[in-house]
Every structure is written in structure tokens, then in C-alpha cells.
Amino acid sequence: NKEQVLRDLERVLAPGGALAFTDIMGADGADERALKDFTDRNATTRMARPSEYADILRRSGFQDVSFCDFSGHLLTYFR
């Protein structure tokens, strides 16, 4: 449960601390059918979206939530 994990991380993070993490995500608005080949090969049924993570992080008490899109590196990674 991603939301519970992020709530727990916020709870134990030192005051003024920061959290950085990576996850392969589908773009906001991406059609789940277009991602199906990838999710089928990678033991997942659905990819999270950046806006979902941002919402979960804010609900969990994190402030200054931001997102860096590194999708430009995917072609190199999957070659």
C-alpha cells in the first residue's frame, strides 16, 4: 500500500528531512492499454501516475512536493 508506506515515512523522517525516490510511472493521462505490454512484463498490473504520487505525498503530510521527468532516458535504458 503506497499511501501507508509514505505516511510511515513522513512519520519517521527527521524534522526538516527530505525524501527522494524513483518509480517507473505512466504519464498522467496515459491509456492503461498502451502500457499493458510493459506492465505484463514487469509483474505489475498498473503504473502509478505523477499526479497520484503528488496527491498521496501531500495527504501524507509532505510539503514542497515536486516531480522530475526522466523519461527521456528510457530509450537508452531499454535498448
Side-chain angles (χ1 to χ4, degrees):
N1 179 320
K2 290 178 181 157
E3 188 151 359
Q4 183 62 51
V5 168
L6 291 169
R7 275 197 305 264
D8 289 345
L9 285 169
E10 199 283 328
R11 181 178 53 79
V12 301
L13 192 65
L19 170 70
F21 68 94
T22 64
D23 193 5
I24 297 175
M25 297 180 245
D28 286 321
D31 183 343
E32 205 62 44
R33 291 172 294 185
L35 303 172
K36 186 170 177 8
D37 285 343
F38 179 86
T39 57
D40 286 352
R41 288 190 312 262
N42 288 282
T44 187
T45 56
R46 185 177 179 286
M47 295 170 72
R49 304 300 195 266
S51 61
E52 291 175 47
Y53 269 120
D55 290 343
I56 292 170
L57 287 161
R58 288 186 185 100
R59 282 196 309 268
S60 299
F62 286 92
Q63 301 172 6
D64 301 320
V65 174
S66 63
F67 167 72
C68 296
D69 183 353
F70 294 114
S71 60
H73 298 282
L74 289 175
L75 286 177
T76 302
Y77 178 77
F78 286 107
R79 282 190 185 153

